Amino acid sequence: MPPDARRLDEQLDPASTVLLTVECQRGVVGPDSALPELAAIARASGALANIARLVAAAHDAGVQVLHAVAERRPDGRGASRNARLFRAAERLPVQQFVGSTAVRIAEPIPVAEEDLVVRRLHGLSPIAGTGVDALLRNVGCRTLVVTGVSANVAIPNAVFDAVNLGYTAVVPADAIAGVPAEYTSAMVRNTLALVATVTTTGDVLSSWKRPRRGR
């Protein structure tokens, strides 16, 4: 086995790995998205399909899956308003309201009973201030595989937070998306590659299919 594959196998041990999906909800990447350009790119690039493949493989391999969902109350209570992005979100035609179809995990991503779902009302990060760190430690996580949207904001936030908290971050570059489409590769190459293991969906799937000692 090549050294890079051996290293990836060590990082992706199912017993200590969690697969994170970020904002893969119907109101963001679904057909009725509040952000149609982002949703179109997520689908056209194959990122959404790759996330679905990774989640299905994680279920088969015994890897814990955690879905991070961004939502808001209809009255806006508790929501952040300290950035232009948040104020713009208030005016979108599709709102990510608590309990609505917009905050359900988007097809074709499978959701299993054992999956964890963490919902946040504030901020930019699926990790900081959400209780996710405690959940990751409680399930024995050492490596966090980060997937989802967007490469503009939430994905780099998740990677930086994971690294700052002591986790190894793994990013399948073909399982994230941002706007414009070419920005994602630039973000991966110039930023995420400096702090995370950048790989592909295929390499992650191959790693989880390989037999391991004690299994």
Side-chain angles (χ1 to χ4, degrees):
M1 186 187 303
D4 286 350
R6 188 177 303 111
R7 177 169 170 265
L8 189 63
D9 272 6
E10 292 172 356
Q11 292 178 340
L12 293 176
D13 181 352
S16 57
T17 297
V18 172
L19 173 65
L20 173 68
T21 75
V22 178
E23 296 181 30
C24 292
Q25 55 208 70
R26 294 175 67 173
V28 176
V29 295
D32 299 318
S33 170
L35 304 164
E37 184 180 2
L38 177 60
I41 290 172
R43 291 180 178 274
S45 68
L48 192 60
N50 285 333
I51 295 165
R53 294 169 64 206
L54 287 165
V55 171
H59 292 157
D60 290 342
V63 173
Q64 178 67 58
V65 176
L66 191 156
H67 304 283
V69 174
E71 59 185 21
R72 60 185 286 116
R73 289 166 49 117
D75 61 8
R77 203 173 285 268
S80 300
R81 301 198 74 253
N82 58 335
R84 189 176 72 175
L85 177 65
F86 301 130
R87 296 190 293 273
E90 294 176 357
R91 301 190 296 271
L92 291 173
V94 177
Q95 290 292 308
Q96 316 297 317
F97 286 146
V98 174
S100 69
T101 58
V103 296
R104 295 179 185 171
I105 302 302
E107 297 81 3
I109 298 171
V111 180
E113 188 175 340
E114 63 269 22
D115 291 0
L116 297 171
V117 180
V118 175
R119 302 177 182 276
R120 78 180 194 275
L121 294 172
H122 63 86
L124 299 170
S125 173
I127 298 178
T130 63
V132 163
D133 180 37
L135 293 177
L136 295 177
R137 295 187 191 282
N138 286 347
V139 298
C141 178
R142 295 181 61 188
T143 296
L144 188 66
V145 181
V146 180
T147 68
V149 296
S150 71
N152 305 75
V153 178
I155 295 299
N157 261 264
V159 171
F160 294 151
D161 286 345
V163 172
N164 284 331
L165 289 167
Y167 301 102
T168 295
V170 172
V171 179
D174 54 357
I176 64 172
V179 177
E182 59 271 18
Y183 178 75
T184 299
S185 59
M187 164 62 75
V188 170
R189 182 174 61 255
N190 297 303
T191 302
L192 299 187
L194 303 178
V195 295
T197 297
V198 175
T199 186
T200 66
T201 294
D203 285 344
V204 175
L205 296 178
S206 296
S207 177
W208 284 341
K209 287 177 182 177
R210 278 192 283 270
R212 283 177 165 81
R213 291 179 182 178
R215 290 183 64 192

